[in-house]
Structures are given as structure tokens and as C-alpha cells.
Amino acid sequence: QVQFVESGGGLVQPGGSLRVSCAASGFTFSSYAMSWYRQAPGKQRELVATISRVGITNYADSVKGRFTISRDNTKNTVYLEMNSLKPEDTAVYYCKGPSSISAWGLGTQVTVSS
């Protein structure tokens, strides 16, 4: 059974940093690209960052230069390091496997506010 368990969210002030993690299970993690998505209140879920199975990364323009996606294949975990956070980064953050896997985790809430 495929599972994604996100953690590490919280409340942070504008300009601050946070790292969220996602532990994956139920499939061969090292063989697939992984992505982070986010969904803000009243908005559609959007793609934030993707990392290929060999570590090639891509980012949405809104987070480029501030966010870093990484993975540890020995721990079946993908990370999202978020720096210079802005109020508009407030959202529930989800990780996602390949399109062939439909499962989503519960997400982790990130709130950027003073």
C-alpha cells in the first residue's frame, strides 16, 4: 500500500525558514521522480518543485531561489527546504510520487505570518 506522510510544517514569521519532510512507502522510491505540491485556501493545488530519481530539480517560478528540494533514497524521504518565506507561501504542502500513483498524503500546514 502506497503511503506518503508529510511532516515539519508550522508557523513561521515572514523571512524565516522551515524544512518539511515526506516519508514514502509501498513502492520503489529510488526509481521515481518526486514532487512537492501546495494548496492555499480557496486556490487550486499547484506544483512547487520536482526532483528526478537522479537528483535533477525543477521549481515553480514563485519559489525559485528560495526553496530547495532534495531526497534521501536510503530513507525513502523527500525534503523541501524553504527560505525567505512570504505570507503567500502559506498553504498545505503535499508530496507526490509519479503520475501512475494516485495516492496523496494528508499534507503538512505551513503558515507564514507575523
XYZ file of all heavy atoms in Angstrom:
861
model
N 0.854 -1.194 0.000
C 0.000 0.000 0.000
C 0.885 1.237 0.000
O 1.738 1.418 0.854
C -0.891 -0.003 1.231
C -1.822 1.186 1.330
C -2.641 1.155 2.612
O -2.502 0.254 3.435
N -3.490 2.155 2.789
N 0.654 2.124 -0.978
C 1.446 3.343 -1.086
C 1.009 4.341 -0.017
O -0.187 4.558 0.197
C 1.290 3.970 -2.479
C 1.991 5.315 -2.533
C 1.834 3.029 -3.554
N 1.992 4.934 0.646
C 1.708 5.958 1.657
C 2.698 7.094 1.559
O 3.881 6.872 1.284
C 1.775 5.360 3.063
C 0.522 4.654 3.516
C 0.527 4.377 5.008
O 1.529 3.921 5.551
N -0.581 4.663 5.672
N 2.219 8.312 1.790
C 3.066 9.497 1.914
C 2.713 10.166 3.236
O 1.543 10.477 3.468
C 2.815 10.476 0.759
C 3.101 9.894 -0.600
C 2.064 9.507 -1.440
C 4.400 9.720 -1.039
C 2.316 8.966 -2.688
C 4.665 9.169 -2.290
C 3.621 8.795 -3.113
N 3.721 10.403 4.082
C 3.489 11.033 5.374
C 4.344 12.291 5.458
O 5.569 12.221 5.606
C 3.812 10.076 6.535
C 3.562 10.774 7.868
C 2.984 8.801 6.437
N 3.676 13.438 5.349
C 4.361 14.724 5.409
C 4.469 15.210 6.855
O 3.557 14.949 7.659
C 3.611 15.766 4.574
C 3.489 15.449 3.093
C 2.223 14.665 2.736
O 1.555 14.155 3.673
O 1.890 14.585 1.537
N 5.556 15.926 7.151
C 5.750 16.459 8.495
C 6.654 17.681 8.429
O 7.270 17.951 7.400
C 6.370 15.401 9.409
O 7.647 15.023 8.934
N 6.700 18.424 9.556
C 7.627 19.538 9.660
C 7.024 20.907 9.454
O 7.727 21.915 9.569
N 5.735 20.972 9.154
C 5.108 22.272 8.974
C 4.974 23.024 10.280
O 5.281 22.501 11.358
N 4.516 24.271 10.199
C 4.340 25.070 11.397
C 4.124 26.521 11.065
O 3.907 26.890 9.913
N 4.197 27.340 12.108
C 4.043 28.780 11.979
C 5.419 29.431 11.952
O 6.247 29.153 12.838
C 3.223 29.320 13.151
C 3.090 30.840 13.269
C 2.330 31.401 12.071
C 2.392 31.207 14.579
N 5.668 30.270 10.974
C 6.959 30.932 10.852
C 6.728 32.388 10.431
O 5.756 32.688 9.724
C 7.868 30.180 9.849
C 7.260 30.157 8.468
C 9.265 30.749 9.827
N 7.609 33.264 10.868
C 7.492 34.676 10.516
C 7.981 34.916 9.089
O 8.823 34.164 8.578
C 8.301 35.527 11.485
C 7.723 35.557 12.893
C 8.437 36.556 13.783
O 9.548 36.996 13.495
N 7.795 36.927 14.875
N 7.475 35.953 8.436
C 7.996 36.299 7.105
C 9.510 36.461 7.147
O 10.058 37.039 8.088
C 7.293 37.621 6.798
C 6.024 37.556 7.577
C 6.370 36.835 8.851
N 10.158 35.917 6.118
C 11.615 35.939 6.076
C 12.266 34.745 6.730
O 13.484 34.551 6.608
N 11.489 33.943 7.423
C 12.022 32.786 8.130
C 12.199 31.574 7.239
O 11.965 31.616 6.030
N 12.612 30.477 7.880
C 12.893 29.234 7.165
C 12.190 28.065 7.822
O 11.892 28.094 9.015
C 14.402 28.968 7.151
O 15.103 29.991 6.489
N 11.973 27.028 7.020
C 11.331 25.815 7.508
C 11.716 24.679 6.572
O 11.913 24.898 5.366
C 9.807 26.000 7.495
C 8.930 25.178 8.430
C 9.293 25.450 9.891
C 7.467 25.515 8.191
N 11.835 23.472 7.115
C 12.057 22.299 6.276
C 10.948 21.303 6.521
O 10.714 20.900 7.667
C 13.404 21.643 6.560
C 13.728 20.526 5.563
C 15.079 19.871 5.783
N 15.053 18.862 6.823
C 15.928 17.869 6.927
N 16.919 17.761 6.053
N 15.845 17.005 7.922
N 10.275 20.900 5.448
C 9.255 19.868 5.543
C 9.794 18.580 4.935
O 10.648 18.610 4.046
C 7.935 20.294 4.873
C 7.297 21.436 5.649
C 8.140 20.688 3.426
N 9.288 17.464 5.448
C 9.748 16.145 5.023
C 8.561 15.297 4.598
O 7.431 15.520 5.035
C 10.467 15.428 6.179
O 11.521 16.196 6.689
N 8.851 14.297 3.771
C 7.818 13.362 3.357
C 8.423 11.966 3.299
O 9.349 11.714 2.517
C 7.263 13.741 1.996
S 6.175 12.497 1.277
N 7.893 11.087 4.138
C 8.322 9.691 4.133
C 7.384 8.887 3.248
O 6.164 8.912 3.447
C 8.311 9.142 5.550
N 7.957 8.192 2.275
C 7.165 7.426 1.316
C 7.365 5.932 1.555
O 8.431 5.496 2.003
C 7.566 7.783 -0.104
N 6.339 5.142 1.254
C 6.440 3.692 1.388
C 5.488 3.021 0.415
O 4.562 3.656 -0.101
C 6.125 3.255 2.822
O 4.809 3.645 3.179
N 5.741 1.750 0.147
C 4.840 0.973 -0.693
C 5.210 0.922 -2.160
O 4.481 0.324 -2.963
N 6.324 1.544 -2.547
C 6.790 1.477 -3.932
C 8.307 1.680 -3.917
O 8.881 2.028 -2.885
C 6.110 2.516 -4.821
C 6.409 3.956 -4.474
C 7.272 4.715 -5.258
C 5.831 4.567 -3.369
C 7.549 6.032 -4.942
C 6.101 5.875 -3.044
C 6.964 6.617 -3.828
N 8.946 1.459 -5.068
C 10.399 1.575 -5.160
C 10.777 3.046 -5.304
O 10.931 3.575 -6.406
C 10.938 0.747 -6.338
O 10.427 -0.592 -6.240
C 12.460 0.700 -6.302
N 10.929 3.696 -4.163
C 11.132 5.150 -4.086
C 12.258 5.624 -4.997
O 12.102 6.609 -5.718
C 11.421 5.510 -2.630
C 11.678 6.961 -2.386
C 10.622 7.853 -2.198
C 12.976 7.453 -2.302
C 10.855 9.199 -1.953
C 13.226 8.791 -2.052
C 12.158 9.663 -1.878
N 13.371 4.930 -4.982
C 14.560 5.396 -5.705
C 14.388 5.376 -7.222
O 15.180 5.991 -7.943
C 15.775 4.545 -5.319
O 15.533 3.190 -5.636
N 13.356 4.730 -7.714
C 13.150 4.593 -9.154
C 12.313 5.707 -9.764
O 12.153 5.754 -10.992
C 12.470 3.252 -9.470
O 13.296 2.173 -9.110
N 11.792 6.599 -8.940
C 10.828 7.579 -9.428
C 11.162 9.008 -9.030
O 11.743 9.258 -7.964
C 9.429 7.251 -8.896
C 8.891 5.942 -9.396
C 8.953 4.795 -8.605
C 8.328 5.838 -10.666
C 8.466 3.585 -9.070
C 7.836 4.628 -11.126
C 7.915 3.516 -10.321
O 7.433 2.322 -10.791
N 10.741 9.940 -9.883
C 10.764 11.350 -9.511
C 9.747 11.598 -8.404
O 8.739 10.889 -8.301
C 10.438 12.216 -10.725
N 10.039 12.599 -7.604
C 9.136 13.002 -6.527
C 8.882 14.497 -6.623
O 9.735 15.258 -7.102
C 9.735 12.671 -5.159
C 9.863 11.181 -4.870
S 8.261 10.370 -4.706
C 7.583 11.216 -3.274
N 7.723 14.917 -6.153
C 7.350 16.324 -6.246
C 6.735 16.829 -4.947
O 6.222 16.037 -4.153
C 6.326 16.525 -7.375
O 6.842 16.127 -8.617
N 6.805 18.123 -4.779
C 6.066 18.803 -3.727
C 5.004 19.690 -4.392
O 5.293 20.391 -5.361
C 6.969 19.673 -2.866
C 7.735 18.915 -1.838
C 9.028 18.471 -1.919
C 7.263 18.512 -0.545
N 9.388 17.813 -0.761
C 8.314 17.822 0.108
C 6.051 18.651 0.132
C 8.193 17.290 1.380
C 5.931 18.118 1.399
C 6.994 17.447 2.019
N 3.791 19.644 -3.845
C 2.695 20.497 -4.250
C 2.250 21.295 -3.021
O 2.554 20.931 -1.879
C 1.502 19.668 -4.744
C 1.664 19.049 -6.100
C 2.459 17.923 -6.284
C 1.012 19.582 -7.213
C 2.606 17.343 -7.533
C 1.144 18.998 -8.470
C 1.939 17.878 -8.613
O 2.075 17.301 -9.859
N 1.484 22.348 -3.272
C 0.860 23.078 -2.167
C -0.522 23.564 -2.579
O -0.801 23.746 -3.756
C 1.734 24.252 -1.720
C 1.849 25.383 -2.738
C 2.845 26.432 -2.230
N 2.980 27.535 -3.174
C 3.867 28.520 -3.022
N 4.688 28.534 -1.982
N 3.919 29.495 -3.921
N -1.353 23.734 -1.561
C -2.707 24.239 -1.796
C -3.039 25.270 -0.735
O -3.101 24.943 0.459
C -3.728 23.106 -1.786
C -5.112 23.557 -2.191
C -6.035 22.415 -2.529
O -5.799 21.266 -2.143
N -7.093 22.701 -3.275
N -3.244 26.491 -1.188
C -3.630 27.578 -0.302
C -5.152 27.640 -0.225
O -5.846 27.161 -1.124
C -3.070 28.894 -0.828
N -5.679 28.224 0.835
C -7.143 28.315 0.982
C -7.786 28.985 -0.230
O -7.348 30.063 -0.660
C -7.305 29.165 2.244
C -6.055 28.957 3.011
C -4.970 28.806 1.985
N -8.807 28.335 -0.778
C -9.536 28.899 -1.901
C -8.823 28.822 -3.238
O -9.310 29.380 -4.228
N -7.681 28.138 -3.285
C -6.918 28.058 -4.528
C -6.716 26.598 -4.926
O -6.851 25.688 -4.118
C -5.563 28.747 -4.370
C -5.658 30.249 -4.146
C -4.291 30.888 -4.218
C -4.392 32.401 -4.093
N -3.053 33.053 -4.186
N -6.357 26.409 -6.209
C -6.070 25.060 -6.678
C -4.707 24.598 -6.206
O -3.812 25.414 -5.936
C -6.120 25.045 -8.211
C -7.517 25.154 -8.792
C -7.545 24.888 -10.284
O -6.567 25.152 -10.987
N -8.650 24.350 -10.777
N -4.562 23.288 -6.111
C -3.264 22.723 -5.758
C -2.277 23.031 -6.887
O -2.605 22.907 -8.065
C -3.403 21.209 -5.567
C -2.262 20.536 -4.879
C -2.610 19.113 -4.480
N -3.680 19.084 -3.494
C -4.085 17.972 -2.878
N -3.502 16.816 -3.150
N -5.068 18.009 -2.013
N -1.058 23.441 -6.515
C -0.064 23.801 -7.517
C 1.256 23.078 -7.277
O 1.624 22.786 -6.132
C 0.182 25.323 -7.513
C 0.771 25.864 -6.242
C 1.172 27.333 -6.351
O 1.168 27.897 -7.470
O 1.494 27.927 -5.298
N 1.954 22.813 -8.375
C 3.257 22.160 -8.304
C 4.310 23.161 -7.852
O 4.410 24.256 -8.409
C 3.623 21.582 -9.679
C 4.982 20.919 -9.813
C 5.103 19.704 -8.910
C 5.230 20.526 -11.275
N 5.099 22.777 -6.862
C 6.126 23.648 -6.305
C 7.516 23.249 -6.797
O 8.289 24.103 -7.232
C 6.084 23.602 -4.766
C 7.233 24.409 -4.169
C 4.744 24.108 -4.245
N 7.830 21.966 -6.707
C 9.179 21.518 -7.064
C 9.161 20.028 -7.378
O 8.334 19.289 -6.844
C 10.158 21.794 -5.927
N 10.093 19.616 -8.236
C 10.238 18.216 -8.605
C 11.706 17.834 -8.578
O 12.569 18.646 -8.924
C 9.673 17.963 -10.018
O 8.272 18.261 -10.018
C 9.855 16.514 -10.451
N 11.979 16.608 -8.153
C 13.341 16.073 -8.196
C 13.301 14.719 -8.890
O 12.494 13.854 -8.538
C 13.955 15.987 -6.780
C 15.413 15.539 -6.861
C 13.143 15.098 -5.851
C 16.193 15.748 -5.569
N 14.167 14.540 -9.881
C 14.193 13.277 -10.609
C 14.858 12.203 -9.753
O 15.409 12.481 -8.683
C 14.965 13.440 -11.910
O 16.360 13.518 -11.652
N 14.835 10.982 -10.234
C 15.424 9.880 -9.464
C 16.932 10.044 -9.337
O 17.538 9.485 -8.420
C 15.060 8.539 -10.082
C 15.539 8.335 -11.497
C 15.016 6.997 -12.053
N 15.497 6.778 -13.410
C 16.620 6.138 -13.682
N 17.373 5.665 -12.690
N 16.989 5.970 -14.926
N 17.553 10.843 -10.220
C 18.998 11.072 -10.145
C 19.338 12.449 -9.604
O 20.488 12.867 -9.630
C 19.678 10.857 -11.518
C 19.524 9.406 -11.949
C 19.137 11.812 -12.563
N 18.326 13.188 -9.132
C 18.596 14.441 -8.432
C 18.471 15.712 -9.243
O 18.827 16.788 -8.747
N 17.966 15.634 -10.460
C 17.738 16.854 -11.244
C 16.471 17.536 -10.732
O 15.453 16.887 -10.535
C 17.605 16.518 -12.742
C 18.912 15.893 -13.248
C 17.258 17.758 -13.546
C 18.823 15.312 -14.638
N 16.574 18.843 -10.496
C 15.479 19.568 -9.856
C 14.853 20.621 -10.774
O 15.517 21.161 -11.669
C 15.969 20.267 -8.577
O 17.034 21.165 -8.911
C 16.475 19.249 -7.563
N 13.579 20.888 -10.524
C 12.849 21.956 -11.201
C 11.938 22.636 -10.203
O 11.424 21.976 -9.287
C 12.022 21.404 -12.365
C 12.857 21.146 -13.594
O 13.305 22.061 -14.271
N 13.105 19.874 -13.880
N 11.726 23.936 -10.384
C 10.955 24.724 -9.428
C 9.949 25.632 -10.135
O 10.194 26.104 -11.241
C 11.889 25.604 -8.589
C 12.897 24.827 -7.790
C 14.166 24.560 -8.297
C 12.578 24.351 -6.523
C 15.091 23.826 -7.569
C 13.502 23.627 -5.774
C 14.752 23.367 -6.302
O 15.658 22.650 -5.570
N 8.850 25.899 -9.433
C 7.937 26.931 -9.890
C 8.648 28.280 -9.786
O 9.481 28.484 -8.901
C 6.681 26.932 -9.030
N 8.303 29.185 -10.696
C 8.954 30.496 -10.685
C 8.778 31.213 -9.351
O 9.661 31.951 -8.914
C 8.383 31.366 -11.810
C 8.857 30.916 -13.191
O 9.849 30.157 -13.264
O 8.234 31.317 -14.183
N 7.645 30.981 -8.701
C 7.334 31.692 -7.456
C 8.249 31.302 -6.296
O 8.338 32.041 -5.306
C 5.879 31.444 -7.064
O 5.635 30.062 -6.892
N 8.925 30.163 -6.394
C 9.782 29.701 -5.289
C 11.244 29.558 -5.693
O 12.093 29.281 -4.843
C 9.282 28.366 -4.704
C 7.819 28.467 -4.314
C 9.515 27.207 -5.653
N 11.539 29.768 -6.963
C 12.913 29.592 -7.453
C 13.862 30.508 -6.712
O 13.588 31.691 -6.523
C 12.933 29.878 -8.958
C 14.056 29.218 -9.712
C 13.873 29.358 -11.218
C 12.713 28.546 -11.726
N 12.578 28.588 -13.210
N 14.975 29.940 -6.242
C 15.954 30.721 -5.498
C 15.689 30.767 -4.004
O 16.554 31.199 -3.231
N 14.493 30.334 -3.575
C 14.160 30.354 -2.141
C 13.966 28.941 -1.582
O 14.256 28.692 -0.415
C 12.874 31.159 -1.915
C 12.958 32.600 -2.340
C 11.719 33.372 -1.906
N 10.487 32.861 -2.509
C 9.443 32.421 -1.811
N 9.469 32.421 -0.491
N 8.355 31.984 -2.452
N 13.453 28.027 -2.406
C 13.161 26.663 -1.967
C 14.157 25.690 -2.588
O 14.609 25.890 -3.717
C 11.752 26.241 -2.385
C 10.620 26.905 -1.647
C 10.831 28.022 -0.854
C 9.331 26.406 -1.761
C 9.782 28.636 -0.177
C 8.268 27.001 -1.102
C 8.505 28.123 -0.312
N 14.468 24.624 -1.848
C 15.348 23.572 -2.355
C 14.727 22.211 -2.061
O 14.439 21.907 -0.892
C 16.735 23.651 -1.700
O 17.311 24.931 -1.948
C 17.653 22.575 -2.266
N 14.538 21.421 -3.095
C 14.038 20.060 -2.928
C 15.223 19.107 -2.938
O 16.191 19.303 -3.685
C 13.021 19.693 -4.039
C 12.360 18.339 -3.767
C 13.659 19.739 -5.418
C 11.207 18.010 -4.725
N 15.162 18.088 -2.087
C 16.214 17.079 -2.042
C 15.595 15.737 -1.653
O 14.436 15.683 -1.253
C 17.308 17.471 -1.043
O 16.777 17.583 0.268
N 16.381 14.696 -1.796
C 15.866 13.371 -1.458
C 16.963 12.517 -0.849
O 18.150 12.719 -1.121
C 15.293 12.688 -2.699
C 16.312 12.356 -3.781
C 15.630 11.892 -5.073
N 14.863 10.668 -4.882
C 13.895 10.267 -5.698
N 13.573 11.003 -6.760
N 13.253 9.130 -5.464
N 16.552 11.562 -0.017
C 17.455 10.577 0.572
C 16.865 9.209 0.255
O 15.901 8.773 0.889
C 17.561 10.795 2.082
C 18.583 9.876 2.732
O 18.930 8.826 2.134
O 19.022 10.188 3.847
N 17.437 8.553 -0.739
C 16.886 7.269 -1.176
C 17.098 6.165 -0.152
O 16.424 5.141 -0.195
C 17.479 6.866 -2.524
C 16.976 7.730 -3.670
O 15.931 8.376 -3.568
N 17.724 7.758 -4.764
N 18.043 6.360 0.776
C 18.252 5.348 1.825
C 17.147 5.406 2.871
O 16.926 4.435 3.598
C 19.606 5.528 2.512
O 19.608 6.755 3.240
C 20.746 5.531 1.503
N 16.470 6.555 2.939
C 15.392 6.729 3.922
C 14.022 6.847 3.265
O 13.030 7.078 3.952
C 15.652 7.981 4.763
C 16.914 7.914 5.596
C 17.094 9.188 6.432
C 18.355 9.103 7.277
N 18.560 10.343 8.071
N 13.960 6.699 1.945
C 12.698 6.872 1.209
C 12.015 8.185 1.586
O 10.795 8.229 1.819
C 11.750 5.689 1.478
C 12.180 4.428 0.768
O 13.223 4.388 0.111
N 11.399 3.375 0.915
N 12.786 9.245 1.649
C 12.278 10.538 2.117
C 12.659 11.650 1.147
O 13.784 11.668 0.629
C 12.823 10.846 3.521
O 12.392 9.817 4.434
C 12.321 12.188 4.021
N 11.720 12.561 0.940
C 11.976 13.751 0.145
C 11.760 14.975 1.042
O 10.885 14.964 1.918
C 11.068 13.785 -1.107
C 9.601 13.792 -0.742
C 11.421 14.950 -2.001
N 12.577 15.984 0.844
C 12.570 17.177 1.685
C 12.293 18.429 0.855
O 12.557 18.461 -0.345
C 13.921 17.353 2.378
C 14.374 16.161 3.169
C 15.251 15.223 2.625
C 13.944 15.969 4.475
C 15.671 14.124 3.348
C 14.370 14.867 5.219
C 15.226 13.947 4.650
O 15.641 12.863 5.371
N 11.792 19.454 1.526
C 11.670 20.766 0.908
C 12.146 21.795 1.922
O 11.519 21.997 2.963
C 10.218 21.055 0.498
C 10.013 22.337 -0.303
C 10.664 22.212 -1.691
C 8.522 22.652 -0.447
N 13.310 22.371 1.615
C 13.873 23.432 2.448
C 13.336 24.747 1.914
O 13.487 25.044 0.718
C 15.402 23.392 2.368
C 16.099 24.444 3.198
C 16.147 24.111 4.676
O 16.204 22.894 5.009
O 16.117 25.042 5.497
N 12.704 25.527 2.807
C 12.061 26.776 2.392
C 12.695 27.946 3.138
O 12.688 27.963 4.380
C 10.560 26.715 2.682
C 9.870 25.539 2.001
S 8.105 25.448 2.342
C 8.147 24.872 4.046
N 13.256 28.874 2.408
C 13.893 30.057 2.979
C 13.195 31.322 2.488
O 12.449 31.286 1.502
C 15.373 30.088 2.591
C 16.139 28.902 3.114
O 16.043 28.550 4.279
N 16.910 28.261 2.237
N 13.455 32.420 3.173
C 12.864 33.721 2.807
C 11.363 33.587 2.595
O 10.815 34.067 1.593
C 13.537 34.255 1.535
O 14.932 34.400 1.729
N 10.723 32.944 3.536
C 9.294 32.664 3.389
C 8.462 33.937 3.378
O 8.784 34.929 4.060
C 8.831 31.735 4.500
C 9.203 30.264 4.276
C 9.152 29.474 5.574
C 8.277 29.645 3.237
N 7.388 33.891 2.582
C 6.484 35.018 2.418
C 5.073 34.589 2.841
O 4.756 33.391 2.793
C 6.443 35.447 0.948
C 7.795 35.770 0.347
C 7.658 36.047 -1.145
C 9.002 36.346 -1.784
N 8.881 36.622 -3.240
N 4.229 35.532 3.212
C 2.847 35.172 3.571
C 2.141 34.374 2.472
O 1.334 33.487 2.774
C 2.191 36.528 3.798
C 3.304 37.398 4.275
C 4.496 36.959 3.473
N 2.462 34.651 1.230
C 1.820 33.930 0.126
C 2.292 32.485 -0.011
O 1.758 31.735 -0.832
C 2.009 34.675 -1.198
C 3.431 35.054 -1.527
C 3.757 36.492 -1.125
O 3.371 36.927 -0.014
O 4.433 37.176 -1.929
N 3.283 32.084 0.774
C 3.690 30.676 0.812
C 2.805 29.851 1.746
O 2.949 28.625 1.817
C 5.143 30.545 1.261
C 6.120 31.163 0.278
O 5.945 30.962 -0.940
O 7.061 31.841 0.736
N 1.932 30.523 2.480
C 1.023 29.818 3.382
C 0.147 28.848 2.607
O -0.533 29.241 1.655
C 0.148 30.823 4.139
O 0.979 31.626 4.986
C -0.900 30.109 4.987
N 0.185 27.582 3.007
C -0.553 26.538 2.294
C -0.366 25.209 3.016
O 0.476 25.107 3.922
C -0.041 26.402 0.863
N -1.126 24.221 2.597
C -0.850 22.842 2.979
C 0.075 22.261 1.907
O -0.212 22.364 0.714
C -2.138 22.009 3.085
C -1.795 20.565 3.456
C -3.076 22.613 4.126
N 1.173 21.674 2.358
C 2.187 21.141 1.453
C 2.072 19.617 1.400
O 2.006 18.954 2.451
C 3.574 21.571 1.909
C 3.872 23.019 1.573
C 3.252 24.045 2.265
C 4.743 23.346 0.536
C 3.494 25.371 1.938
C 4.996 24.669 0.200
C 4.361 25.676 0.909
O 4.598 26.989 0.578
N 2.067 19.085 0.167
C 1.921 17.653 -0.067
C 3.081 17.147 -0.922
O 3.524 17.849 -1.829
C 0.647 17.356 -0.846
C -0.640 17.834 -0.232
C -1.107 19.121 -0.471
C -1.412 16.993 0.571
C -2.296 19.564 0.075
C -2.614 17.431 1.119
C -3.041 18.720 0.866
O -4.234 19.148 1.413
N 3.519 15.923 -0.670
C 4.450 15.312 -1.616
C 3.674 14.347 -2.504
O 2.568 13.925 -2.175
C 5.602 14.605 -0.918
S 5.154 13.087 -0.070
N 4.278 14.041 -3.646
C 3.595 13.201 -4.629
C 4.615 12.371 -5.374
O 5.710 12.849 -5.689
C 2.818 14.095 -5.607
C 2.009 13.352 -6.658
C 0.803 12.668 -6.074
C -0.158 12.171 -7.139
N 0.424 11.061 -7.920
N 4.227 11.126 -5.656
C 5.061 10.259 -6.460
C 4.739 10.440 -7.934
O 4.185 11.456 -8.341
N 5.057 9.439 -8.747
C 4.795 9.535 -10.181
C 3.291 9.554 -10.475
O 2.486 9.186 -9.614
C 5.451 8.272 -10.740
C 5.472 7.323 -9.597
C 5.685 8.169 -8.384
N 2.926 9.962 -11.674
C 1.510 10.062 -12.051
C 0.798 8.715 -12.008
O -0.426 8.657 -11.861
C 1.379 10.677 -13.440
O 2.100 9.913 -14.386
N 1.576 7.641 -12.111
C 0.976 6.302 -12.044
C 0.495 5.948 -10.644
O -0.238 4.985 -10.453
C 1.987 5.260 -12.517
O 3.167 5.328 -11.737
N 0.915 6.737 -9.646
C 0.479 6.532 -8.260
C -0.481 7.650 -7.901
O -0.099 8.814 -7.860
C 1.680 6.513 -7.289
C 2.584 5.321 -7.591
C 1.199 6.482 -5.843
C 3.842 5.266 -6.745
N -1.729 7.300 -7.632
C -2.753 8.318 -7.399
C -2.829 8.798 -5.958
O -3.463 9.806 -5.680
C -4.119 7.764 -7.814
O -4.424 6.611 -7.057
N -2.169 8.089 -5.042
C -2.309 8.399 -3.623
C -1.706 9.753 -3.269
O -0.709 10.183 -3.856
C -1.634 7.311 -2.788
N -2.320 10.406 -2.292
C -1.816 11.637 -1.686
C -1.748 11.429 -0.178
O -2.522 10.669 0.388
C -2.739 12.826 -1.965
C -2.779 13.281 -3.370
C -3.589 12.795 -4.373
C -1.998 14.324 -3.968
N -3.345 13.483 -5.544
C -2.382 14.416 -5.317
C -1.002 15.190 -3.485
C -1.803 15.345 -6.201
C -0.434 16.105 -4.354
C -0.835 16.178 -5.700
N -0.852 12.126 0.465
C -0.813 12.133 1.919
C -1.773 13.181 2.463
O -2.536 13.799 1.717
N -1.737 13.358 3.782
C -2.605 14.346 4.424
C -2.041 15.760 4.342
O -2.761 16.729 4.581
C -2.832 13.955 5.889
C -3.576 12.636 6.108
C -3.693 12.353 7.600
C -4.939 12.648 5.446
N -0.770 15.875 4.029
C -0.140 17.181 3.923
C 0.327 17.713 5.269
O 0.031 17.147 6.331
N 1.069 18.805 5.209
C 1.528 19.485 6.421
C 1.299 20.980 6.233
O 1.632 21.547 5.192
C 2.998 19.150 6.730
O 3.369 19.705 7.997
C 3.962 19.621 5.658
N 0.724 21.622 7.240
C 0.345 23.036 7.146
C 1.555 23.932 7.391
O 2.249 23.782 8.414
C -0.749 23.362 8.160
C -1.131 24.827 8.239
C -1.891 25.293 7.020
O -2.857 24.662 6.592
N -1.465 26.418 6.446
N 1.782 24.861 6.476
C 2.808 25.886 6.641
C 2.103 27.236 6.664
O 1.374 27.574 5.729
C 3.845 25.837 5.508
C 4.801 27.025 5.596
C 4.614 24.525 5.544
N 2.305 27.983 7.744
C 1.687 29.291 7.891
C 2.784 30.330 8.075
O 3.607 30.207 8.991
C 0.719 29.328 9.073
O -0.284 28.320 8.901
C 0.048 30.689 9.178
N 2.794 31.326 7.202
C 3.786 32.395 7.275
C 3.062 33.672 7.683
O 2.276 34.230 6.917
C 4.512 32.587 5.936
C 5.619 33.638 6.089
C 5.086 31.267 5.446
N 3.313 34.093 8.897
C 2.586 35.241 9.436
C 3.362 35.852 10.592
O 4.052 35.135 11.328
C 1.209 34.797 9.920
O 0.524 35.874 10.546
N 3.220 37.171 10.741
C 3.842 37.840 11.882
C 2.851 37.943 13.023
O 3.194 38.458 14.093
C 4.340 39.219 11.469
O 3.288 39.969 10.895
